[in-house]
Amino acid sequence: MEGILHFVAKLTYLSVYSKIFLLVYQPVNFGDDDDFMDNYEPIRESFLKEVAASSSLDALYAVKVKYIGKKGVISELNKALAKLPSEEKPIAGFEIGKLRNEFSAAYDDKESSLKERELSEKLISEQIDVTLPGLTLPIGREHIINKTAGEISAFFASIGYLKATGPEVELDYYNFEALNMPYGHPARDMQDTFYVSDYEVLRTHTSPVQIRTMLACKPPIRIIAPGKVYRSDYDVTHSPMFHQVEGLYIDENISMGELKGTLEHFVKALFGSDVPVRFRASYFPFTEPSMEVDMGCSICSGGGCRVCKGAGWLEIGGCGMVAPEVFDAVRLDYNKFSGFAFGMGVERIAMLKYGIDDIRLFFENHLKFLNQF
Amino acid sequence: MRVSLNWLKSYVNISDLSPEDIAHRLTMAGLEVEGIERKNPIEAISAAIIEEVQEHPNAKKLHLCKVFDGKGRHNVVCGAPNARAGLITVLAHIGAEIGGVKIKEGVLRGVKSEGMLCSEKELGLSEDHAGIIELPPDTPLDANLNELLGIEDIILDIAITPNRGDCLCIYGIAREVSALFERELHFNPFVVSEEDMGEISAYTAATKDVESCPYYTARIIKGVKLAPSPLWMQNRIKSAGMRPLNNVVDITNYVMLEYGQPLHAFDLKVIDRGIVVRRAAEAEKFTTLDGKVRDLDASVAVIADHSKTLAIAGVMGGEYSGINDATTDIFLECACFNPASISLTSRKLGMNTDSAYRYIRGMDFGRSRSILDYAASLFSDICGGTVLAGALTAGEQPPESRTFNFSISKVNSLIGLELSADHILTLLGRLNIKGFLKEDATAAVIVPSYRNDIKHVADIAEEIARLYGIERIPSRLPSFSPKSAKEKLNREGELRELLINSGFNECINYSFLPDSYLADFCDTRELVYLINPLSNDMNALRTYIFPSLIKTLEHNWNQGERSIRLFEIGSVFQKTDRSRLEPLHLAFGFIGGFIPLNWAPGGAYDNFYYLKGVCSNIFAKLRLTPSYIPSKLGCLHPGKSADIFIGKDRAGFIGALHPNIAAALDLKAEVYFTELDLSFLFSLGVEHPPYKRFSRFPSVYKDISLVVDIALPAENLRGLISGISPLVQAVVLFDIYSGEGLASNREKSLTFRIFFSSPDKTLTDEEINPLLYEAESRAAAEFNARLR
């Protein structure tokens, strides 16, 4: 309806405009015809008043109908025009057109201001509390141990290591003997072992994955093996179940130099490029030479504190060159190949990284803990 | 191991080295120094002789002692029971600081005291506080007590790795220091003065168990006088953390601490004709010197005479065969025991003695005879004993060195250096390993018997790396030629991410649980048990994850959490007849409702459907189409549970915990969970399908309401409608109604929106209406459905 009214208003305007055009080019004596003019003035005054007084679009439309509707006041004037003497017609027509234009102008002004007002009223009425929580479930979190193990694995994946896994209930042979720890070996004492049968244990480290991989694959071998391991120990820093990540690289001409370079890059990738890394001689039955990897204490930056026991260094893992006994166990030629292996405790790294002081928190699974990572 | 620098410096010159320097070099070379303990000198103490002791007039237990320190006389009040005239003891003068307390002139019960007579504990020498120190009668009063009593010292606490049994003695540490700092190693020479009294021939030694004891040797020392050891020996024993006892026992301990060789002294009169090393009898009971009865068996090597067992070989002596106050003649054993044999015995009997500890880590078998002689010399020097000429031996003394060849280039390629052969042999020379270059670019080395850990080229590489300095080995990255094998899809990671984004927190539970708890959820015959669990709360491996999950959900609920959705991915353990399987499982669930406390109304539907929604997304991710069939699992709510099938294989289940179990577990809210066998699902190996052309013409839809029996599973009807034409793109159930207008309790109305799509045009009503009619009539035929 509104659209149609506009259309009508526009047509009216055009026809008036063309009349003005004619008037300009037809020299006509308008004369003094004040009476005629006087007829229009009250109409102008009244519609201006009524338009101004319209407080809503509906009221304004009613005014429109009253003046320029089919039987509207101005429309009636137009009809009356036909009855006028022909010499009066141009002048009267001009005046009526003027009247109509003025009405339209007043109307348009009023209409747009009313529309603006109504829109703003609508927007105000539709306002909601944008601080209310969104209607979705809160996002969950990855467990910090899996997250940390994932970060470690991702670094090694990025330099060509493939993920490998092995069973958690492991043969004693793979867990110990093939790793140069025959029965009675003192290094077995360092790993209190859960037994499931005479010949099966809960693996005490991820190193048996090395053996399984070397038996199954030919060099070059590059694997990263994250997983659960078990030792019979339980206190603030020991959990009967924890996680390790094991790495293995076997190829021709692999030396301690490559081992150092790889792990230095790894520590810097995980803890920051300015963290110092050092290697010191150590012992593991399945590597020879063996080393411990230390990084500058993240708490005191090497100054010495309670966490690093004043040393300024924190042990983060063990590594070494795969021992000839292990090559023998998997029937790989030690003269031709060499390789390195490394392992680290995921809990320890997470504890160092986030300042967590009790390993048992990882397995209590309290939401107040889980939600922090 | 505790290493006294006072003691160490008698073998190697360390006067210009700081303790930190020594500690650092040892640590980097594999002997990790875990602590440096500084024992500071005590000022204003001196030796003093008690000249006179009087009763304290006002206190029964106190004495008034008049003491003379060589310069002046002092009156000191003392409560020690052993204060007596003629005793030379330690006087702390006014101003001395003893145990953090400054000695002041004081009045004790009305009597003035000008200092304090000290016990060992007060000087920090031991825990002995039974009386004041009794210095030897020949102690000069101007003696430097800080030196004499070993008060001033620095102790390094060194962690010795299991391969370095040779470093479990001070001389071994001295060897390391000498090699690392390139310093001369002193050996303190000794002379055994023997007397040939012929009597040794009355005894024999034999080993019937050459495997456990390849070599046994002993000497007899007669006429020893039991007394306290000399102070220097006591100090050294104390510095190592042991307690001095008497000169005989102290010498055996001292030699062990000095050279690493355990010795054992028997009272000669207990020994019947001689020694036999043999295995114990089955089920033999034997009382060790600590008074405990041990159950031996035929795997345990023992030292016996011709009528009885005397000691558990290499581990501990017997109750009646050892040294006592009446001992005058001793039978001194110095034996080589096989590390593996001692390890088995020690483990079996749960006895980890200083002696066993050293045997297990391997010791210097090549020098046991000379160490026996050294110990004998100490017995004659210190205990006034007479060493009988000759030694009893059984077996063969193992050689003092071992020879093998290694390749120079392999050493370099292991370390990543290019050292010359000369350089390598020079470095080895610092360890007293002699090497000779051979023509084929290999070298022969002669390794002394105490380095029984050095067996092949890798060990040589380790020694070279240690001495050259690991920090000097240049770091480099290996070349990473890409491998042809394709990395497997990380499906586990994808599901983890999906669950996290669905509002689930990941948890990690122990793999072990109490079997009594697991019995609610599975057949205990399926359980894998730990033989040696930490406790009965951790005695069996889980066969599913959800029992752990329930506990963790409950724990969080009891902690007051009220928005608890958890998942876990991990291995589970099932025993089968042939093998133990470790499938990877996923479990996820919630307690007390899926939708957390919220300002918007909603969540009116059964929690089951929210969980199933997550399941659906998982299967969509895996590109698998599951079917849900009401489950008969006993631990699930019979009306709110389903087994999940892929084809004919059960892949898992979903449901609410059975109310009976929930009640038995005292759960305060309803628990819903799903468990899926990921190993199985991943094994289906659904590859990413190729791209399919899709219709560019808009889909259109029509709704249809059908009234059916209230018990008809909606999925059956939905499935039927989906199948009426290939033009059906999707069928979505969007309204379920029962009540007015329907036969109550017997009927329900299901309203479906059917989306149609054609590959080559936009479908018109004329084309769709027959399909709707088809759906209606087939539903009527199959499920007795009618249009609502």
Side-chain angles (χ1 to χ4, degrees), chain A residues 86-99:
Chain A
S86 58
E87 67 276 17
E88 284 181 20
K89 277 181 185 171
I91 280 235
F94 176 79
E95 284 301 326
I96 295 165
K98 202 170 140 201
L99 205 57

Side-chain angles (χ1 to χ4, degrees), chain A residues 199-258:
Chain A
Y199 58 95
E200 289 163 304
V201 300
L202 290 188
R203 67 177 178 191
T204 57
H205 47 183
T206 39
S207 306
V209 181
Q210 284 181 28
I211 301 294
R212 288 174 174 274
T213 306
M214 281 192 275
L215 284 171
C217 307
K218 288 199 162 28
I221 294 170
R222 282 186 300 269
I223 56 152
I224 191 80
K228 285 177 184 155
V229 299
Y230 302 85
R231 292 185 197 176
S232 177
D233 216 343
Y234 194 31
D235 61 34
V236 175
T237 53
H238 297 91
S239 166
M241 181 184 88
F242 58 103
H243 295 74
Q244 282 187 343
V245 175
E246 187 91 4
L248 176 72
Y249 192 136
I250 305 276
D251 203 349
E252 291 176 33
N253 295 316
I254 294 298
S255 77
M256 292 170 79
E258 280 77 23

Side-chain angles (χ1 to χ4, degrees), chain B residues 86-131:
Chain B
L87 176 68
I88 298 180
T89 187
V90 176
L91 170 67
H93 293 269
I94 305 296
E97 207 175 297
I98 305 293
V101 180
K102 209 158 196 155
I103 303 297
K104 289 182 217 147
E105 189 174 88
V107 178
L108 278 161
R109 299 265 181 131
V111 180
K112 202 166 85 174
S113 182
E114 304 164 326
M116 182 171 87
L117 302 181
C118 303
S119 71
E120 290 205 353
K121 186 177 178 182
E122 282 158 342
L123 295 185
L125 296 173
S126 75
E127 287 304 299
D128 187 356
H129 196 47

Side-chain angles (χ1 to χ4, degrees), chain A residues 146 169 195 200 230 334, chain B residues 410 481 506 511 531 580 582:
Chain A
N146 282 337
V169 173
Y195 283 85
E200 289 163 304
Y230 302 85
Y334 188 65
Chain B
K410 184 73 182 179
S481 55
E506 186 176 27
S511 301
I531 291 176
R580 293 192 173 106
E582 287 184 25

Side-chain angles (χ1 to χ4, degrees), chain B residues 653-788:
Chain B
F653 49 84
I654 175 173
L657 184 63
H658 196 291
N660 287 347
I661 295 180
L665 295 175
D666 201 19
L667 298 185
K668 304 289 189 295
E670 253 191 320
V671 169
Y672 282 81
F673 53 88
T674 296
E675 179 134 356
L676 297 174
D677 181 344
L678 294 186
S679 293
F680 166 68
L681 293 174
F682 293 165
S683 75
L684 298 175
V686 179
E687 294 293 323
H688 199 292
Y691 160 73
K692 261 196 318 212
R693 294 185 75 82
F694 57 93
S695 169
R696 281 290 181 190
F697 300 94
S699 306
V700 291
Y701 66 80
K702 292 280 176 188
D703 295 346
I704 182 170
S705 289
L706 293 164
V707 177
V708 291
D709 188 282
I710 200 150
L712 180 75
E715 176 59 23
N716 295 6
L717 193 50
R718 201 197 63 84
L720 178 136
I721 298 171
S722 302
I724 53 167
S725 159
L727 296 178
V728 174
Q729 186 191 7
V731 181
V732 179
L733 174 68
F734 75 97
D735 185 53
I736 303 175
Y737 173 80
S738 58
E740 209 169 312
L742 298 178
S744 57
N745 300 329
R746 283 195 292 110
E747 286 182 332
K748 65 183 169 190
S749 155
L750 302 173
T751 307
F752 297 94
R753 178 160 293 178
I754 311 173
F755 291 84
F756 299 92
S757 170
S758 159
D760 34 46
K761 60 181 165 182
T762 304
L763 295 166
T764 60
D765 281 1
E766 288 70 35
E767 288 157 317
I768 292 169
N769 287 339
L771 297 177
L772 278 181
Y773 179 72
E774 167 84 8
E776 183 199 331
S777 57
R778 292 216 345 224
E782 203 140 333
F783 301 118
N784 201 22
R786 64 177 154 87
L787 271 187
R788 186 179 161 202

Side-chain angles (χ1 to χ4, degrees), chain B residues 613-631:
Chain B
V614 179
C615 264
S616 304
N617 284 345
I618 285 174
F619 286 106
K621 190 99 193 165
L622 294 171
R623 298 176 189 284
L624 293 168
T625 310
S627 48
Y628 295 80
I629 296 171
S631 176

